[in-house]
Amino acid sequence: MFYQTIILGAGAAGMMCAAYAGAGTLVLDHAKNPGEKIRISGGGRCNFTNLDVTPENYLSANPHFCKSALARYTQWDFIELISKHGIAWHEKTLGQLFCDGSAKQIVAMLVAELKSAGAELWLNSALVKVDTHDTGFSLEVMQEGTLRKLTCANLVLATGGKSIPKMGATGLSYDIAQQFDLPLLPTRAGLVPFTFDQERFKPLAGTALPSRLSNARASFDEALLFTHRGLSGPAVLQLSSYWREGEDISVNLDPENQLFNTLRKQRQTEGRRQLNTELAHLLPSRLVEFLGQTLPLTQRLADQSDDALQTLCANLRDWRLKPSGTEGYRTAEVTLGGIDTNALSSKTMEAKTKPGLYAIGEAVDVTGWLGGYNFQWAWASGHAAGVAISAKA
């Protein structure tokens, strides 16, 4: 069976590519349903893009690579698409857009789009073998227990990265890329919680507060959540993509720099109270109790000089911690690294040394921030490859 284009992976990027690749397109996926990561994202409502997408919201060894695709298919283009399908949406914090209803609406939309473009979708279909062929590529696929032999002119790698293996994530795209001599960059878990030895923050599990997390490379003002295993929450997930093993992070528990002035005023009226009592009005009480193990918080507020209060607040604005690691691919939202962008055309996503081979989405060394940026990369890179393939026909 010959297809003009075979796309490996019925996720966000793969289905988007199929909607634009033209007739004679087949999408393959080993899962029993398409778009499983879409379905579970955003608490089931899919944070499908962000109002403020810029190339600066992405990590890559080549920070310029993502610019072309993002410029040619923007967040406004995707908003127009979902509006055409009658999908209601709303903005949450920091420009993040979510479905009013269910993420399943996005999946259904993409399936409808690819089918209206004439593409086929095979689920429960596992790739057994791929090789070169005089028409381009040959594949052996086990489709629901039957071995199928297929050939195609264009092969698109859209199987994602290694994150959330319980949903079937593998390094398949990386294996195929290596088979065809495309270079890979080291991969690691991104947008992932930090872990600490000996359940250091177990007494604080469930405690959350606004914070600023930073290191030498980046800084994020968002919520911090303490867990049994360590630290999570948006600020932590964001910084994890910029963190390396063995490094310290700085936690600022007073990102708006209000604690000193507030404590100074309270000293006038509540001077007989202990520091920890007054701090518990400003920070979560369990956190104050925890901090009291290493900071002098049982003294009277009236006995604190301005210098003493400044020192205390400085400690709370720069709480140095060294994670022992992260929770890894098990809970990571994305995979950093992957197929080297230097091996691909930024306009078409086609391999420079292997005509007809394309790589899109998370498989490529382009990783977005938390907040809809990775879906926008999936839409944009899938669109870029699909349009390029259609133009070749």
Side-chain angles (χ1 to χ4, degrees):
M1 297 173 67
F2 174 79
Y3 287 89
Q4 190 65 30
T5 303
I6 294 180
I7 300 170
L8 302 179
M15 289 194 286
M16 192 69 172
C17 181
Y20 288 92
T25 298
L26 172 65
V27 184
L28 299 174
D29 203 296
H30 61 85
K32 64 180 181 179
N33 295 303
E36 282 294 86
K37 269 196 171 181
I38 299 173
R39 181 183 61 81
I40 68 164
S41 68
R45 290 194 171 181
C46 188
N47 180 194
F48 55 82
T49 192
N50 196 290
L51 291 177
D52 304 310
V53 175
T54 70
E56 287 69 39
N57 301 119
Y58 294 86
L59 290 82
S60 175
N62 177 1
H64 301 290
F65 180 83
C66 64
K67 292 180 178 178
S68 176
L70 291 172
R72 287 180 295 121
Y73 193 89
T74 70
Q75 61 270 42
W76 309 111
D77 293 312
F78 194 77
I79 291 168
E80 183 180 346
L81 176 63
I82 67 167
S83 297
K84 185 181 82 172
H85 283 260
I87 299 174
W89 54 273
H90 61 278
E91 179 186 355
K92 289 183 80 171
T93 58
L94 303 173
Q96 300 169 18
L97 303 189
F98 290 78
C99 298
D100 284 359
S102 168
K104 293 178 182 178
Q105 295 175 282
I106 301 289
V107 177
M109 176 193 75
L110 292 169
V111 171
E113 285 286 314
L114 72 87
K115 288 187 174 179
S116 69
E120 293 181 48
L121 175 60
W122 287 9
L123 300 170
N124 295 308
S125 301
L127 180 68
V128 177
K129 183 180 179 183
V130 61
D131 213 335
T132 53
H133 186 268
D134 54 11
T135 60
F137 303 90
S138 65
L139 295 84
E140 292 184 9
V141 176
M142 188 65 71
Q143 187 208 16
E144 297 186 344
T146 302
L147 186 66
R148 310 279 189 185
K149 294 190 176 183
L150 312 173
T151 58
C152 61
N154 305 297
L155 181 64
V156 183
L157 306 181
T159 63
K162 298 177 180 179
S163 53
I164 318 184
K166 70 179 180 181
M167 295 193 66
T170 68
L172 179 61
S173 284
Y174 309 142
D175 296 338
I176 297 173
Q178 283 188 304
Q179 180 182 337
F180 293 116
D181 297 322
L182 299 190
L184 299 178
L185 295 176
T187 59
R188 57 192 176 89
L191 300 182
V192 63
F194 288 132
T195 56
F196 287 79
D197 292 333
Q198 300 171 330
E199 298 184 318
R200 178 175 176 182
F201 297 113
K202 186 175 180 180
L204 295 177
T207 301
L209 74 162
S211 66
R212 176 178 300 139
L213 263 70
S214 56
N215 64 8
R217 300 179 194 89
S219 180
F220 294 96
D221 283 36
E222 289 195 65
L224 165 67
L225 171 68
F226 293 91
T227 73
H228 284 83
R229 291 181 291 273
L231 301 179
S232 189
V236 170
L237 300 187
Q238 295 280 40
L239 191 66
S240 70
S241 295
Y242 294 85
W243 178 78
R244 299 293 185 277
E245 286 71 11
E247 293 180 346
D248 284 352
I249 62 170
S250 172
V251 178
N252 184 344
L253 301 173
D254 178 29
E256 296 187 1
N257 202 16
Q258 297 294 319
L259 275 180
F260 173 72
N261 288 333
T262 303
L263 289 173
R264 202 172 175 222
K265 288 177 183 175
Q266 287 179 323
R267 187 175 59 189
Q268 305 300 318
T269 57
E270 307 291 348
R272 290 179 295 176
R273 293 179 180 265
Q274 288 184 335
L275 260 174
N276 53 11
T277 303
E278 290 309 302
L279 266 180
H281 296 310
L282 308 171
L283 298 172
S285 57
R286 279 199 294 163
L287 176 57
V288 173
E289 183 180 348
F290 184 88
L291 293 169
Q293 298 172 20
T294 54
L295 293 174
L297 302 182
T298 56
Q299 301 168 0
R300 289 197 321 159
L301 188 55
D303 296 332
Q304 305 304 304
S305 65
D306 281 2
D307 285 347
L309 290 179
Q310 287 278 25
T311 299
L312 170 64
C313 292
N315 285 325
L316 297 176
R317 287 197 300 270
D318 187 17
W319 185 16
R320 292 287 170 145
L321 299 172
K322 182 177 288 187
S324 58
T326 72
E327 292 190 5
Y329 293 119
R330 182 181 66 83
T331 60
E333 296 202 14
V334 291
T335 304
L336 293 149
I339 298 172
D340 191 341
T341 58
N342 288 329
L344 306 173
S345 161
S346 62
K347 183 177 180 182
T348 66
M349 310 304 292
E350 187 175 19
K352 295 175 182 176
T353 59
K354 189 65 179 175
L357 181 64
Y358 297 77
I360 58 177
E362 191 182 349
V364 178
D365 174 38
V366 175
T367 305
W369 287 7
L370 184 73
Y373 298 99
N374 287 293
F375 275 127
Q376 186 59 39
W377 171 245
W379 316 137
S381 60
H383 170 267
V387 168
I389 289 168
S390 179
K392 284 182 8 180

